[in-house]
Structures are given as C-alpha cells and as structure tokens.
C-alpha cells in the first residue's frame, strides 16, 4: 500500500501560466509542469535554497523535493531545447495563507486540504 501524499505547500500561484517559443506555436506538442514542480524550480534555482531548505518550506521530505525538482528540470529542458509550449497547471498542492520570509509572506499557516489548479486561462 502506498503512503498517502503529504501536502505540498506553495507560497503563491505563478504570475504566468505558460510560455511559448517565438517560432511556431504548436499547442499539440506541449509540456505541462505542475505547480509544485514550478515551486521547486523557484525556490532552488531562483531563490537559491538548498533541497533541504526547499523541503522545509514546502513541508515535504528532501527526497520528495529531489524527485519533483528532477522532473521539473526535464520538462524545462524539453520545452527549451525542443521548442515546445510550456504550461504550468494542475497538481496537488496547498496554497499558504500567511506570510513567509522567503516570499515576503508569512507562510507558517496554510490550508492543508489539497487543491487542484485546473482550468486556468491560458493567456500568452
């Protein structure tokens, strides 16, 4: 029996829900990145957190962060190298309701019911 998934805390939803190559948008040939994958890229690559710090921020294990991060990097590479449209949507996550030192918000308190971000307008 598989372990139940822990809540993956996300500080805020992305401002942009997708990116497209400058040359020939082919919506059929696309890559979909989940919100928790986006959050690991943001925390590790943009903010400069270690995987341990990222795991603490998201309230999940470091090994889980490592797996999410590796998948996110593969998706980014596929979109960049192969000129695919990248959408950021879906996934199970908990959006924090407080503030955090990390993102200028206090993230100590967050709603632990899992959310699915679906049907987001795809504006590019």
């Amino acid at each position: 029996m598989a372990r139940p998934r822990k809540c993956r805390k996300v500080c805020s939803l992305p401002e942009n829900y997708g990116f497209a190559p400058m040359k020939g948008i082919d919506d059929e040939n696309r890559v979909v990145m989940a919100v928790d994958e986006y959050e690991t890229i943001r925390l590790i690559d943009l903010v400069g957190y270690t995987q341990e710090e990222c795991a603490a921020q998201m309230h999940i294990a470091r090994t889980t962060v490592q797996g999410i991060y590796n998948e996110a990097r593969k998706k980014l590479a596929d979109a960049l190298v192969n000129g695919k449209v990248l959408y950021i949507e879906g996934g199970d996550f908990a959006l924090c309701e407080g503030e955090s030192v990390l993102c200028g918000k206090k993230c100590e308190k967050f709603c632990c019911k899992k959310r699915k971000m679906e049907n987001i307008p795809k504006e590019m």
Side-chain angles (χ1 to χ4, degrees), residues 58-71:
M58 292 181 72
H59 292 258
I60 54 178
R62 187 206 52 82
T63 53
T64 303
V65 164
Q66 185 176 23
I68 295 169
Y69 180 64
N70 287 339
E71 277 302 306

Side-chain angles (χ1 to χ4, degrees), residues 36-61:
D36 57 339
E37 293 171 331
Y38 163 84
E39 184 73 349
T40 60
I41 292 289
R42 186 181 77 79
L43 293 174
I44 295 171
D45 291 335
L46 184 63
V47 177
Y49 271 28
T50 64
Q51 288 184 4
E52 290 82 10
E53 292 167 328
C54 179
Q57 179 67 27
M58 292 181 72
H59 292 258
I60 54 178

